[in-house]
Amino acid sequence: MDFRKRYIVEPGSHVQLDRLDPNDTGSYASKEEAAKPLQACLCRMRELQYRMYAENKRSLLIVLQGRDAAGKDGTIRKVLSVMNPQGCTVTSFKVPSTLEASHDFLWRCHLVVPRRGNVAIFNRSHYEDVLVVRVHALVPHKVWSRRYDHINAFEELLYDNHTEILKFFLHIDRDEQLKRFKRRLDDPGKQWKISDADYSERPFWDDYTQAFEEALQRCSTKHAPWFVIPSNRKWFRNLAIARIIVDTLLDMNMQYPEPAVDLEEIRQKYHAAANASE
Ligand code: AMP
Ligand code: MG
């Protein structure tokens, strides 16, 4: 199965989230069936990230968006944690600080985009500025409505600077969200995650749907595609995201740089004598 083809938001296409099944598990019937392919994929991801770091020419930006409890943190823990920390950064975007809020909305994101050879993971992102900001009218319509164009221009700039961009919308439904909130309530290790906002945002579900749909529609581009990942089943979400990242890294066809030294000369000069005396 070609995960990219199946879950990409084709640029210019119309998105209706309620027509996309959050329970979809593609051609996989169970977590057990997906376990081996996932492991294989994670190994591959680690190798390819190493190659990207070695090549030191290009970079990858991974954007995770989704409703509360959609699995953004879980994806980082279960999938993206295979990345070598030397060569990877994670940024979680919260309510803007005073400093952040006194700049344009892209400033805080631009500061943490991946440098050459690196992967950057955004847990939430510049898209919050057309999501929560739009739903709660934190700025006037005429301000947020211009941001889609700003975002596309920003992402194109990154792409032109050799950054591949993958954006994942983790798609869950209302019932699954409530179930996950309930589980948090009953798990002493997860209670810290519960916020008033989780519950107070639920009545805005449809407004968020609209905001997500518009962001997906207007900002899925050739250079920075959106993927809608069915995420009610965590194991499938993990596999789908891992596969899409690996397939993208494979296409990038990264190469180790040529050695900076003459290997033969070094062998002769420093190792020949040692070999002879062994
Ligand atoms: P969490 O991801 O659960 O730690 O929550 C972070 C919170 O910060 C969420 O409620 C987001 O909606 C909020 N947030 C992130 N970016 C922005 C933004 N640009 N403006 C307002 N709220 C934001
Ligand atoms: Mg939260």
PDB file of all heavy atoms in Angstrom, residues 123-156:
ATOM      1  N   ASN A 123       5.481  20.041  17.334  1.00  0.00           N
ATOM      2  CA  ASN A 123       4.291  19.555  18.025  1.00  0.00           C
ATOM      3  C   ASN A 123       3.363  20.770  18.161  1.00  0.00           C
ATOM      4  O   ASN A 123       3.588  21.638  18.995  1.00  0.00           O
ATOM      5  CB  ASN A 123       4.713  19.026  19.405  1.00  0.00           C
ATOM      6  CG  ASN A 123       3.558  18.449  20.184  1.00  0.00           C
ATOM      7  OD1 ASN A 123       2.398  18.633  19.813  1.00  0.00           O
ATOM      8  ND2 ASN A 123       3.859  17.770  21.276  1.00  0.00           N
ATOM      9  N   ARG A 124       2.328  20.842  17.307  1.00  0.00           N
ATOM     10  CA  ARG A 124       1.615  22.075  16.969  1.00  0.00           C
ATOM     11  C   ARG A 124       2.603  22.950  16.205  1.00  0.00           C
ATOM     12  O   ARG A 124       3.795  22.626  16.137  1.00  0.00           O
ATOM     13  CB  ARG A 124       1.039  22.796  18.181  1.00  0.00           C
ATOM     14  CG  ARG A 124       0.069  21.934  19.001  1.00  0.00           C
ATOM     15  CD  ARG A 124      -0.566  22.775  20.098  1.00  0.00           C
ATOM     16  NE  ARG A 124      -1.306  21.968  21.042  1.00  0.00           N
ATOM     17  CZ  ARG A 124      -2.605  21.703  20.934  1.00  0.00           C
ATOM     18  NH1 ARG A 124      -3.291  22.202  19.928  1.00  0.00           N
ATOM     19  NH2 ARG A 124      -3.211  20.958  21.829  1.00  0.00           N
ATOM     20  N   SER A 125       2.123  24.070  15.686  1.00  0.00           N
ATOM     21  CA  SER A 125       2.972  24.784  14.736  1.00  0.00           C
ATOM     22  C   SER A 125       2.386  26.150  14.420  1.00  0.00           C
ATOM     23  O   SER A 125       1.471  26.618  15.117  1.00  0.00           O
ATOM     24  CB  SER A 125       3.030  23.969  13.440  1.00  0.00           C
ATOM     25  OG  SER A 125       1.723  23.937  12.866  1.00  0.00           O
ATOM     26  N   HIS A 126       2.873  26.713  13.328  1.00  0.00           N
ATOM     27  CA  HIS A 126       2.304  27.971  12.818  1.00  0.00           C
ATOM     28  C   HIS A 126       0.823  27.814  12.445  1.00  0.00           C
ATOM     29  O   HIS A 126       0.128  28.801  12.308  1.00  0.00           O
ATOM     30  CB  HIS A 126       3.112  28.505  11.636  1.00  0.00           C
ATOM     31  CG  HIS A 126       3.556  27.443  10.653  1.00  0.00           C
ATOM     32  ND1 HIS A 126       4.407  26.421  10.988  1.00  0.00           N
ATOM     33  CD2 HIS A 126       3.264  27.270   9.339  1.00  0.00           C
ATOM     34  CE1 HIS A 126       4.621  25.657   9.921  1.00  0.00           C
ATOM     35  NE2 HIS A 126       3.935  26.154   8.908  1.00  0.00           N
ATOM     36  N   TYR A 127       0.364  26.578  12.281  1.00  0.00           N
ATOM     37  CA  TYR A 127      -1.059  26.385  11.940  1.00  0.00           C
ATOM     38  C   TYR A 127      -1.990  26.754  13.085  1.00  0.00           C
ATOM     39  O   TYR A 127      -3.163  27.045  12.850  1.00  0.00           O
ATOM     40  CB  TYR A 127      -1.300  24.946  11.458  1.00  0.00           C
ATOM     41  CG  TYR A 127      -0.811  24.787  10.036  1.00  0.00           C
ATOM     42  CD1 TYR A 127       0.480  24.365   9.771  1.00  0.00           C
ATOM     43  CD2 TYR A 127      -1.624  25.144   8.958  1.00  0.00           C
ATOM     44  CE1 TYR A 127       0.957  24.275   8.473  1.00  0.00           C
ATOM     45  CE2 TYR A 127      -1.164  25.063   7.656  1.00  0.00           C
ATOM     46  CZ  TYR A 127       0.129  24.624   7.418  1.00  0.00           C
ATOM     47  OH  TYR A 127       0.590  24.556   6.125  1.00  0.00           O
ATOM     48  N   GLU A 128      -1.481  26.761  14.327  1.00  0.00           N
ATOM     49  CA  GLU A 128      -2.347  27.203  15.445  1.00  0.00           C
ATOM     50  C   GLU A 128      -2.906  28.601  15.162  1.00  0.00           C
ATOM     51  O   GLU A 128      -3.979  28.951  15.632  1.00  0.00           O
ATOM     52  CB  GLU A 128      -1.561  27.225  16.751  1.00  0.00           C
ATOM     53  CG  GLU A 128      -1.198  25.854  17.298  1.00  0.00           C
ATOM     54  CD  GLU A 128      -2.405  25.011  17.685  1.00  0.00           C
ATOM     55  OE1 GLU A 128      -3.330  25.537  18.345  1.00  0.00           O
ATOM     56  OE2 GLU A 128      -2.417  23.814  17.332  1.00  0.00           O
ATOM     57  N   ASP A 129      -2.166  29.364  14.381  1.00  0.00           N
ATOM     58  CA  ASP A 129      -2.571  30.745  14.122  1.00  0.00           C
ATOM     59  C   ASP A 129      -3.686  30.874  13.098  1.00  0.00           C
ATOM     60  O   ASP A 129      -4.186  31.983  12.849  1.00  0.00           O
ATOM     61  CB  ASP A 129      -1.332  31.572  13.732  1.00  0.00           C
ATOM     62  CG  ASP A 129      -0.402  31.706  14.933  1.00  0.00           C
ATOM     63  OD1 ASP A 129      -0.631  32.582  15.770  1.00  0.00           O
ATOM     64  OD2 ASP A 129       0.506  30.859  15.066  1.00  0.00           O
ATOM     65  N   VAL A 130      -4.072  29.735  12.489  1.00  0.00           N
ATOM     66  CA  VAL A 130      -5.315  29.721  11.708  1.00  0.00           C
ATOM     67  C   VAL A 130      -6.276  28.668  12.269  1.00  0.00           C
ATOM     68  O   VAL A 130      -7.253  28.310  11.626  1.00  0.00           O
ATOM     69  CB  VAL A 130      -5.058  29.459  10.200  1.00  0.00           C
ATOM     70  CG1 VAL A 130      -4.382  30.665   9.547  1.00  0.00           C
ATOM     71  CG2 VAL A 130      -4.248  28.183   9.973  1.00  0.00           C
ATOM     72  N   LEU A 131      -5.987  28.159  13.464  1.00  0.00           N
ATOM     73  CA  LEU A 131      -6.871  27.166  14.094  1.00  0.00           C
ATOM     74  C   LEU A 131      -7.470  27.763  15.363  1.00  0.00           C
ATOM     75  O   LEU A 131      -8.511  28.402  15.306  1.00  0.00           O
ATOM     76  CB  LEU A 131      -6.090  25.876  14.374  1.00  0.00           C
ATOM     77  CG  LEU A 131      -5.607  25.149  13.106  1.00  0.00           C
ATOM     78  CD1 LEU A 131      -4.579  24.083  13.412  1.00  0.00           C
ATOM     79  CD2 LEU A 131      -6.800  24.512  12.383  1.00  0.00           C
ATOM     80  N   VAL A 132      -6.752  27.610  16.495  1.00  0.00           N
ATOM     81  CA  VAL A 132      -7.307  28.158  17.747  1.00  0.00           C
ATOM     82  C   VAL A 132      -7.553  29.674  17.620  1.00  0.00           C
ATOM     83  O   VAL A 132      -8.561  30.192  18.102  1.00  0.00           O
ATOM     84  CB  VAL A 132      -6.379  27.816  18.942  1.00  0.00           C
ATOM     85  CG1 VAL A 132      -5.006  28.438  18.818  1.00  0.00           C
ATOM     86  CG2 VAL A 132      -7.002  28.218  20.270  1.00  0.00           C
ATOM     87  N   VAL A 133      -6.673  30.326  16.922  1.00  0.00           N
ATOM     88  CA  VAL A 133      -6.787  31.783  16.783  1.00  0.00           C
ATOM     89  C   VAL A 133      -8.036  32.161  15.983  1.00  0.00           C
ATOM     90  O   VAL A 133      -8.733  33.125  16.296  1.00  0.00           O
ATOM     91  CB  VAL A 133      -5.500  32.344  16.112  1.00  0.00           C
ATOM     92  CG1 VAL A 133      -5.684  33.785  15.682  1.00  0.00           C
ATOM     93  CG2 VAL A 133      -4.306  32.197  17.061  1.00  0.00           C
ATOM     94  N   ARG A 134      -8.319  31.359  14.975  1.00  0.00           N
ATOM     95  CA  ARG A 134      -9.516  31.599  14.158  1.00  0.00           C
ATOM     96  C   ARG A 134     -10.791  31.240  14.925  1.00  0.00           C
ATOM     97  O   ARG A 134     -11.740  32.016  14.988  1.00  0.00           O
ATOM     98  CB  ARG A 134      -9.408  30.763  12.876  1.00  0.00           C
ATOM     99  CG  ARG A 134     -10.702  30.637  12.120  1.00  0.00           C
ATOM    100  CD  ARG A 134     -10.520  29.799  10.870  1.00  0.00           C
ATOM    101  NE  ARG A 134     -11.817  29.409  10.326  1.00  0.00           N
ATOM    102  CZ  ARG A 134     -12.036  29.134   9.049  1.00  0.00           C
ATOM    103  NH1 ARG A 134     -11.064  29.202   8.179  1.00  0.00           N
ATOM    104  NH2 ARG A 134     -13.237  28.778   8.640  1.00  0.00           N
ATOM    105  N   VAL A 135     -10.769  30.056  15.553  1.00  0.00           N
ATOM    106  CA  VAL A 135     -11.971  29.578  16.250  1.00  0.00           C
ATOM    107  C   VAL A 135     -12.379  30.560  17.358  1.00  0.00           C
ATOM    108  O   VAL A 135     -13.558  30.813  17.570  1.00  0.00           O
ATOM    109  CB  VAL A 135     -11.737  28.152  16.811  1.00  0.00           C
ATOM    110  CG1 VAL A 135     -12.831  27.748  17.778  1.00  0.00           C
ATOM    111  CG2 VAL A 135     -11.629  27.147  15.660  1.00  0.00           C
ATOM    112  N   HIS A 136     -11.394  31.107  18.057  1.00  0.00           N
ATOM    113  CA  HIS A 136     -11.711  32.006  19.171  1.00  0.00           C
ATOM    114  C   HIS A 136     -11.547  33.478  18.827  1.00  0.00           C
ATOM    115  O   HIS A 136     -11.528  34.326  19.725  1.00  0.00           O
ATOM    116  CB  HIS A 136     -10.874  31.626  20.389  1.00  0.00           C
ATOM    117  CG  HIS A 136     -11.257  30.275  20.926  1.00  0.00           C
ATOM    118  ND1 HIS A 136     -12.479  30.034  21.509  1.00  0.00           N
ATOM    119  CD2 HIS A 136     -10.607  29.087  20.906  1.00  0.00           C
ATOM    120  CE1 HIS A 136     -12.561  28.753  21.850  1.00  0.00           C
ATOM    121  NE2 HIS A 136     -11.439  28.155  21.484  1.00  0.00           N
ATOM    122  N   ALA A 137     -11.414  33.743  17.537  1.00  0.00           N
ATOM    123  CA  ALA A 137     -11.308  35.135  17.064  1.00  0.00           C
ATOM    124  C   ALA A 137     -10.296  35.932  17.900  1.00  0.00           C
ATOM    125  O   ALA A 137     -10.577  37.035  18.351  1.00  0.00           O
ATOM    126  CB  ALA A 137     -12.689  35.801  17.083  1.00  0.00           C
ATOM    127  N   LEU A 138      -9.122  35.344  18.081  1.00  0.00           N
ATOM    128  CA  LEU A 138      -8.089  36.015  18.882  1.00  0.00           C
ATOM    129  C   LEU A 138      -7.475  37.192  18.124  1.00  0.00           C
ATOM    130  O   LEU A 138      -6.850  38.062  18.722  1.00  0.00           O
ATOM    131  CB  LEU A 138      -6.993  35.017  19.303  1.00  0.00           C
ATOM    132  CG  LEU A 138      -7.481  33.807  20.102  1.00  0.00           C
ATOM    133  CD1 LEU A 138      -6.311  32.881  20.471  1.00  0.00           C
ATOM    134  CD2 LEU A 138      -8.215  34.247  21.368  1.00  0.00           C
ATOM    135  N   VAL A 139      -7.633  37.164  16.811  1.00  0.00           N
ATOM    136  CA  VAL A 139      -7.298  38.344  15.989  1.00  0.00           C
ATOM    137  C   VAL A 139      -8.456  38.507  14.998  1.00  0.00           C
ATOM    138  O   VAL A 139      -9.221  37.563  14.785  1.00  0.00           O
ATOM    139  CB  VAL A 139      -5.952  38.158  15.225  1.00  0.00           C
ATOM    140  CG1 VAL A 139      -4.772  37.952  16.172  1.00  0.00           C
ATOM    141  CG2 VAL A 139      -6.042  37.023  14.211  1.00  0.00           C
ATOM    142  N   PRO A 140      -8.596  39.677  14.406  1.00  0.00           N
ATOM    143  CA  PRO A 140      -9.723  39.880  13.482  1.00  0.00           C
ATOM    144  C   PRO A 140      -9.630  39.000  12.227  1.00  0.00           C
ATOM    145  O   PRO A 140      -8.535  38.586  11.839  1.00  0.00           O
ATOM    146  CB  PRO A 140      -9.598  41.361  13.079  1.00  0.00           C
ATOM    147  CG  PRO A 140      -8.668  41.982  14.056  1.00  0.00           C
ATOM    148  CD  PRO A 140      -7.789  40.901  14.597  1.00  0.00           C
ATOM    149  N   HIS A 141     -10.769  38.742  11.628  1.00  0.00           N
ATOM    150  CA  HIS A 141     -10.861  37.925  10.413  1.00  0.00           C
ATOM    151  C   HIS A 141      -9.854  38.383   9.364  1.00  0.00           C
ATOM    152  O   HIS A 141      -9.156  37.577   8.741  1.00  0.00           O
ATOM    153  CB  HIS A 141     -12.296  38.012   9.876  1.00  0.00           C
ATOM    154  CG  HIS A 141     -12.508  37.219   8.616  1.00  0.00           C
ATOM    155  ND1 HIS A 141     -12.106  37.675   7.374  1.00  0.00           N
ATOM    156  CD2 HIS A 141     -13.050  35.994   8.409  1.00  0.00           C
ATOM    157  CE1 HIS A 141     -12.408  36.769   6.457  1.00  0.00           C
ATOM    158  NE2 HIS A 141     -12.978  35.736   7.061  1.00  0.00           N
ATOM    159  N   LYS A 142      -9.758  39.681   9.174  1.00  0.00           N
ATOM    160  CA  LYS A 142      -8.882  40.147   8.086  1.00  0.00           C
ATOM    161  C   LYS A 142      -7.407  39.850   8.377  1.00  0.00           C
ATOM    162  O   LYS A 142      -6.600  39.802   7.459  1.00  0.00           O
ATOM    163  CB  LYS A 142      -9.118  41.627   7.770  1.00  0.00           C
ATOM    164  CG  LYS A 142      -8.558  42.634   8.746  1.00  0.00           C
ATOM    165  CD  LYS A 142      -8.708  44.028   8.099  1.00  0.00           C
ATOM    166  CE  LYS A 142      -7.885  45.120   8.779  1.00  0.00           C
ATOM    167  NZ  LYS A 142      -8.051  45.260  10.218  1.00  0.00           N
ATOM    168  N   VAL A 143      -7.083  39.599   9.627  1.00  0.00           N
ATOM    169  CA  VAL A 143      -5.701  39.239   9.962  1.00  0.00           C
ATOM    170  C   VAL A 143      -5.462  37.739   9.733  1.00  0.00           C
ATOM    171  O   VAL A 143      -4.546  37.343   9.017  1.00  0.00           O
ATOM    172  CB  VAL A 143      -5.343  39.636  11.419  1.00  0.00           C
ATOM    173  CG1 VAL A 143      -3.960  39.119  11.800  1.00  0.00           C
ATOM    174  CG2 VAL A 143      -5.422  41.151  11.582  1.00  0.00           C
ATOM    175  N   TRP A 144      -6.295  36.892  10.338  1.00  0.00           N
ATOM    176  CA  TRP A 144      -6.020  35.448  10.180  1.00  0.00           C
ATOM    177  C   TRP A 144      -6.256  34.971   8.754  1.00  0.00           C
ATOM    178  O   TRP A 144      -5.599  34.045   8.283  1.00  0.00           O
ATOM    179  CB  TRP A 144      -6.718  34.580  11.221  1.00  0.00           C
ATOM    180  CG  TRP A 144      -8.229  34.567  11.257  1.00  0.00           C
ATOM    181  CD1 TRP A 144      -9.030  35.167  12.193  1.00  0.00           C
ATOM    182  CD2 TRP A 144      -9.118  33.884  10.351  1.00  0.00           C
ATOM    183  NE1 TRP A 144     -10.360  34.921  11.914  1.00  0.00           N
ATOM    184  CE2 TRP A 144     -10.436  34.138  10.786  1.00  0.00           C
ATOM    185  CE3 TRP A 144      -8.940  33.105   9.208  1.00  0.00           C
ATOM    186  CZ2 TRP A 144     -11.564  33.633  10.123  1.00  0.00           C
ATOM    187  CZ3 TRP A 144     -10.057  32.595   8.544  1.00  0.00           C
ATOM    188  CH2 TRP A 144     -11.344  32.864   9.014  1.00  0.00           C
ATOM    189  N   SER A 145      -7.183  35.617   8.046  1.00  0.00           N
ATOM    190  CA  SER A 145      -7.499  35.109   6.705  1.00  0.00           C
ATOM    191  C   SER A 145      -6.329  35.318   5.733  1.00  0.00           C
ATOM    192  O   SER A 145      -6.240  34.635   4.716  1.00  0.00           O
ATOM    193  CB  SER A 145      -8.779  35.740   6.167  1.00  0.00           C
ATOM    194  OG  SER A 145      -8.608  37.135   6.086  1.00  0.00           O
ATOM    195  N   ARG A 146      -5.449  36.244   6.032  1.00  0.00           N
ATOM    196  CA  ARG A 146      -4.274  36.454   5.161  1.00  0.00           C
ATOM    197  C   ARG A 146      -3.135  35.477   5.478  1.00  0.00           C
ATOM    198  O   ARG A 146      -2.169  35.366   4.737  1.00  0.00           O
ATOM    199  CB  ARG A 146      -3.770  37.901   5.290  1.00  0.00           C
ATOM    200  CG  ARG A 146      -4.712  38.903   4.610  1.00  0.00           C
ATOM    201  CD  ARG A 146      -4.254  40.350   4.740  1.00  0.00           C
ATOM    202  NE  ARG A 146      -2.837  40.575   4.423  1.00  0.00           N
ATOM    203  CZ  ARG A 146      -2.305  40.544   3.208  1.00  0.00           C
ATOM    204  NH1 ARG A 146      -3.084  40.282   2.171  1.00  0.00           N
ATOM    205  NH2 ARG A 146      -1.022  40.770   3.034  1.00  0.00           N
ATOM    206  N   ARG A 147      -3.306  34.762   6.573  1.00  0.00           N
ATOM    207  CA  ARG A 147      -2.197  33.916   7.020  1.00  0.00           C
ATOM    208  C   ARG A 147      -1.978  32.666   6.165  1.00  0.00           C
ATOM    209  O   ARG A 147      -0.883  32.124   6.142  1.00  0.00           O
ATOM    210  CB  ARG A 147      -2.402  33.519   8.490  1.00  0.00           C
ATOM    211  CG  ARG A 147      -2.192  34.710   9.404  1.00  0.00           C
ATOM    212  CD  ARG A 147      -2.342  34.362  10.860  1.00  0.00           C
ATOM    213  NE  ARG A 147      -1.925  35.489  11.684  1.00  0.00           N
ATOM    214  CZ  ARG A 147      -2.135  35.590  12.976  1.00  0.00           C
ATOM    215  NH1 ARG A 147      -2.772  34.603  13.628  1.00  0.00           N
ATOM    216  NH2 ARG A 147      -1.716  36.644  13.646  1.00  0.00           N
ATOM    217  N   TYR A 148      -3.013  32.203   5.486  1.00  0.00           N
ATOM    218  CA  TYR A 148      -2.822  31.018   4.635  1.00  0.00           C
ATOM    219  C   TYR A 148      -1.766  31.314   3.569  1.00  0.00           C
ATOM    220  O   TYR A 148      -0.903  30.481   3.285  1.00  0.00           O
ATOM    221  CB  TYR A 148      -4.153  30.600   3.988  1.00  0.00           C
ATOM    222  CG  TYR A 148      -5.219  30.280   5.003  1.00  0.00           C
ATOM    223  CD1 TYR A 148      -6.172  31.240   5.379  1.00  0.00           C
ATOM    224  CD2 TYR A 148      -5.275  29.025   5.595  1.00  0.00           C
ATOM    225  CE1 TYR A 148      -7.134  30.956   6.329  1.00  0.00           C
ATOM    226  CE2 TYR A 148      -6.252  28.730   6.545  1.00  0.00           C
ATOM    227  CZ  TYR A 148      -7.175  29.702   6.911  1.00  0.00           C
ATOM    228  OH  TYR A 148      -8.119  29.422   7.847  1.00  0.00           O
ATOM    229  N   ASP A 149      -1.867  32.504   2.992  1.00  0.00           N
ATOM    230  CA  ASP A 149      -0.874  32.886   1.967  1.00  0.00           C
ATOM    231  C   ASP A 149       0.508  33.052   2.594  1.00  0.00           C
ATOM    232  O   ASP A 149       1.510  32.664   2.009  1.00  0.00           O
ATOM    233  CB  ASP A 149      -1.279  34.198   1.270  1.00  0.00           C
ATOM    234  CG  ASP A 149      -2.511  34.005   0.392  1.00  0.00           C
ATOM    235  OD1 ASP A 149      -2.821  32.842   0.048  1.00  0.00           O
ATOM    236  OD2 ASP A 149      -3.174  35.009   0.068  1.00  0.00           O
ATOM    237  N   HIS A 150       0.529  33.641   3.798  1.00  0.00           N
ATOM    238  CA  HIS A 150       1.829  33.787   4.471  1.00  0.00           C
ATOM    239  C   HIS A 150       2.454  32.420   4.732  1.00  0.00           C
ATOM    240  O   HIS A 150       3.654  32.222   4.549  1.00  0.00           O
ATOM    241  CB  HIS A 150       1.662  34.522   5.813  1.00  0.00           C
ATOM    242  CG  HIS A 150       1.209  35.945   5.674  1.00  0.00           C
ATOM    243  ND1 HIS A 150       0.331  36.546   6.553  1.00  0.00           N
ATOM    244  CD2 HIS A 150       1.511  36.883   4.757  1.00  0.00           C
ATOM    245  CE1 HIS A 150       0.123  37.797   6.177  1.00  0.00           C
ATOM    246  NE2 HIS A 150       0.826  38.030   5.089  1.00  0.00           N
ATOM    247  N   ILE A 151       1.629  31.481   5.174  1.00  0.00           N
ATOM    248  CA  ILE A 151       2.122  30.131   5.477  1.00  0.00           C
ATOM    249  C   ILE A 151       2.669  29.470   4.210  1.00  0.00           C
ATOM    250  O   ILE A 151       3.757  28.898   4.212  1.00  0.00           O
ATOM    251  CB  ILE A 151       1.004  29.267   6.111  1.00  0.00           C
ATOM    252  CG1 ILE A 151       0.708  29.752   7.529  1.00  0.00           C
ATOM    253  CG2 ILE A 151       1.382  27.798   6.099  1.00  0.00           C
ATOM    254  CD1 ILE A 151      -0.478  29.064   8.202  1.00  0.00           C
ATOM    255  N   ASN A 152       1.908  29.587   3.124  1.00  0.00           N
ATOM    256  CA  ASN A 152       2.378  28.941   1.883  1.00  0.00           C
ATOM    257  C   ASN A 152       3.695  29.548   1.413  1.00  0.00           C
ATOM    258  O   ASN A 152       4.592  28.829   0.964  1.00  0.00           O
ATOM    259  CB  ASN A 152       1.306  29.050   0.788  1.00  0.00           C
ATOM    260  CG  ASN A 152       0.128  28.119   1.069  1.00  0.00           C
ATOM    261  OD1 ASN A 152       0.262  27.132   1.802  1.00  0.00           O
ATOM    262  ND2 ASN A 152      -1.029  28.431   0.507  1.00  0.00           N
ATOM    263  N   ALA A 153       3.807  30.858   1.546  1.00  0.00           N
ATOM    264  CA  ALA A 153       5.052  31.514   1.114  1.00  0.00           C
ATOM    265  C   ALA A 153       6.211  31.091   2.019  1.00  0.00           C
ATOM    266  O   ALA A 153       7.314  30.813   1.548  1.00  0.00           O
ATOM    267  CB  ALA A 153       4.879  33.035   1.131  1.00  0.00           C
ATOM    268  N   PHE A 154       5.944  31.017   3.310  1.00  0.00           N
ATOM    269  CA  PHE A 154       6.965  30.604   4.288  1.00  0.00           C
ATOM    270  C   PHE A 154       7.455  29.179   3.990  1.00  0.00           C
ATOM    271  O   PHE A 154       8.655  28.905   3.926  1.00  0.00           O
ATOM    272  CB  PHE A 154       6.349  30.689   5.686  1.00  0.00           C
ATOM    273  CG  PHE A 154       7.160  30.096   6.805  1.00  0.00           C
ATOM    274  CD1 PHE A 154       8.437  30.565   7.088  1.00  0.00           C
ATOM    275  CD2 PHE A 154       6.630  29.093   7.608  1.00  0.00           C
ATOM    276  CE1 PHE A 154       9.174  30.028   8.155  1.00  0.00           C
ATOM    277  CE2 PHE A 154       7.354  28.558   8.666  1.00  0.00           C
ATOM    278  CZ  PHE A 154       8.631  29.025   8.937  1.00  0.00           C
ATOM    279  N   GLU A 155       6.510  28.291   3.762  1.00  0.00           N
ATOM    280  CA  GLU A 155       6.881  26.893   3.518  1.00  0.00           C
ATOM    281  C   GLU A 155       7.610  26.751   2.186  1.00  0.00           C
ATOM    282  O   GLU A 155       8.515  25.925   2.048  1.00  0.00           O
ATOM    283  CB  GLU A 155       5.631  26.004   3.591  1.00  0.00           C
ATOM    284  CG  GLU A 155       5.075  25.959   5.022  1.00  0.00           C
ATOM    285  CD  GLU A 155       3.802  25.147   5.185  1.00  0.00           C
ATOM    286  OE1 GLU A 155       3.221  24.712   4.161  1.00  0.00           O
ATOM    287  OE2 GLU A 155       3.369  24.947   6.337  1.00  0.00           O
ATOM    288  N   GLU A 156       7.239  27.568   1.220  1.00  0.00           N
ATOM    289  CA  GLU A 156       7.939  27.526  -0.064  1.00  0.00           C
ATOM    290  C   GLU A 156       9.377  28.015   0.091  1.00  0.00           C
ATOM    291  O   GLU A 156      10.306  27.471  -0.515  1.00  0.00           O
ATOM    292  CB  GLU A 156       7.196  28.369  -1.100  1.00  0.00           C
ATOM    293  CG  GLU A 156       7.587  28.007  -2.501  1.00  0.00           C
ATOM    294  CD  GLU A 156       6.714  28.654  -3.551  1.00  0.00           C
ATOM    295  OE1 GLU A 156       5.633  29.200  -3.219  1.00  0.00           O
ATOM    296  OE2 GLU A 156       7.122  28.642  -4.723  1.00  0.00           O
TER     297      GLU A 156
END
